Amino acid sequence: MAGWRTLERHSAYAQISAPPVDTVLAETQDARHTGGMDRRDVLAAGLAGSLLPLPSIAKARAAAGPVTPDASIPLWPGEAPGLLDPDLRERVTERSKDPAIRDRALDRIRTPRLDIFRAAKPNGAALLIMPGGGYERVVLDKEGYELAAWLAPRGVTCFVLFYRLPAEGWKDAPNAPLADAQRAMRLIRARAAEWQVDPGRIGAMGFSAGGHVCADLAARFDRKVYDPVDAADTGPARPMLAAPIYPVVTMDPAFAHMGSRNKLIGTARNAELEAEHSPDRQVSARTPPSFLLHAEDDGTVPVENTIRLRAALKTANVPLEMHIFEKGGHGFGLRGTVGKPVAAWPELFHAWAASHGLFG
């Protein structure tokens, strides 16, 4: 497509790519005898527990590290709308102290983008993934790349969204993440044939503050929050289904995650802004079917966020499935579920999404 630049894995991602996963290959007793498994397949095996023996799963999770996306595309032609800080430059921070386990985060995001993980054998399904980070950063690995690596071998093409952070200097800052999510859905649909995606089978999933972006997209997919920039913006932004995972939902200080709330709408009380940016207060009958997940012992984002969203969906007669696990804490993603009942959640989501036709 004219005007679009695709960044291939070995160029733009050299600074954040992972080393070869020799330890995992050894754990699988020579990858050549597993049908040609690559790094992504090995990671997926470790996370799903379907290809490695059970004693090796935890070791594989730790050793596999991040995978590299197949490509990356910017969301917007030229600058993203509403840039106020001309000195904004993206920064990658490694937060893990264990060299075997990467935990990178991005902030100062000037060029929002989609990192693309192509399905090994595409079945037409796609998932837009929005990692969390409290609207202060966007994490790469545990709530983005690792899930994409788990789904790609199952035929799902994944698009990890690195959205703008509202407190970093944007016009209409509270709607900047939603604008990026809407634009992402429209862009995926506009270029669906290129990625072997069925434009009618694109879901959305988000974690923590990314769960807020996901729930906001599901509730306000048709809200005009940016001016169209090209033909892609004539398409719909509604996802086929939505999966907010341990999401920030309410802006009510009684149950809000105050860090996310303050970054999104500011520290002052404003009833109009609180209502507009609380997805549970924006749900309608057109909100897509939703899969909700939270842990009762989440000490960061109170479980009441998910419970409020569930009540709103129920009132609007939106099909939903909700799982509240006793233990899991916050931010477990895939890697933080080892040895806990909450480890079942990816398969629960997969089965639920299949029942709604995401996989054809």
Side-chain angles (χ1 to χ4, degrees):
M1 180 179 290
W4 288 102
R5 180 169 52 95
T6 298
L7 308 179
E8 295 302 331
R9 68 170 72 184
H10 296 302
S11 55
Y13 285 86
Q15 76 275 21
I16 57 173
S17 61
V21 288
D22 298 333
T23 51
V24 181
L25 296 179
E27 195 64 35
T28 60
Q29 300 178 348
D30 193 336
R32 290 170 297 178
H33 299 292
T34 63
M37 293 170 67
D38 65 12
R39 183 188 318 181
R40 186 179 307 170
D41 298 324
V42 174
L43 176 61
L47 295 172
S50 58
L51 297 175
L52 294 181
L54 287 175
S56 300
I57 292 174
K59 195 176 286 187
R61 290 177 194 243
V67 292
T68 306
D70 295 302
S72 179
I73 60 170
L75 283 183
W76 307 92
E79 294 282 10
L83 177 67
L84 296 176
D85 181 1
D87 296 323
L88 196 64
R89 295 291 183 273
E90 183 175 290
R91 177 172 58 187
V92 181
T93 303
E94 175 58 80
R95 303 185 297 173
S96 174
K97 294 185 168 91
D98 184 343
I101 304 175
R102 303 296 295 276
D103 185 17
R104 297 162 295 172
L106 273 65
D107 65 348
R108 300 183 58 77
I109 297 171
R110 177 171 181 159
T111 304
R113 68 176 187 263
L114 290 170
D115 284 4
I116 305 165
F117 292 77
R118 295 180 183 272
K121 296 179 180 179
N123 61 27
L127 191 68
L128 175 65
I129 301 172
M130 290 155 279
Y135 282 131
E136 186 172 359
R137 63 189 70 86
V138 180
V139 302
L140 274 80
D141 301 300
K142 69 173 185 173
E143 294 171 350
Y145 288 4
E146 289 176 7
L147 180 67
W150 187 82
L151 285 167
R154 294 169 174 239
V156 183
T157 299
C158 295
F159 300 81
V160 181
L161 175 62
F162 296 95
Y163 48 88
R164 287 172 289 163
L165 299 169
E168 291 187 341
W170 300 94
K171 294 178 182 177
D172 193 20
N175 283 318
L178 174 62
D180 288 346
Q182 288 183 355
R183 172 69 180 171
M185 288 295 300
R186 290 170 174 142
L187 190 58
I188 294 168
R189 285 197 166 104
R191 301 178 64 175
E194 177 182 341
W195 297 310
Q196 297 178 268
V197 166
D198 179 345
R201 292 194 283 126
I202 305 171
M205 176 181 286
F207 299 80
S208 193
H212 183 270
V213 182
C214 177
D216 201 16
L217 175 65
R220 298 197 299 152
F221 57 85
D222 58 354
R223 190 69 52 88
K224 187 177 185 297
V225 292
Y226 69 91
D227 293 326
V229 296
D230 57 26
D233 289 324
T234 63
R238 181 182 183 271
M240 177 190 186
L241 50 81
I245 309 298
Y246 43 84
V248 174
V249 175
T250 183
M251 296 293 111
D252 176 358
F255 294 113
H257 176 249
M258 293 304 292
S260 298
R261 179 197 183 279
N262 294 345
K263 293 287 186 183
L264 185 69
I265 64 172
T267 58
R269 292 300 304 270
N270 183 313
E272 183 177 351
L273 277 178
E274 288 176 8
E276 180 73 5
H277 296 283
S278 295
D280 60 309
R281 300 175 67 178
Q282 300 297 324
V283 163
S284 74
R286 297 183 63 214
T287 298
S290 298
F291 176 93
L292 309 180
L293 173 71
H294 220 114
E296 186 68 36
D297 66 346
D298 190 326
T300 302
V301 177
V303 70
E304 283 80 6
N305 282 262
T306 287
I307 292 171
R308 284 189 174 198
L309 183 55
R310 184 262 179 194
L313 293 166
K314 191 72 174 174
T315 297
N317 293 314
V318 174
L320 70 97
E321 180 164 311
M322 181 174 73
H323 296 274
I324 304 293
F325 284 84
E326 179 186 1
K327 296 185 183 300
H330 186 74
F332 45 79
L334 294 179
R335 66 173 63 168
T337 65
V338 179
K340 302 173 185 175
V342 72
W345 85 259
E347 294 290 359
L348 291 170
F349 165 74
H350 192 274
W352 174 83
S355 75
H356 282 275
L358 181 63
F359 309 121

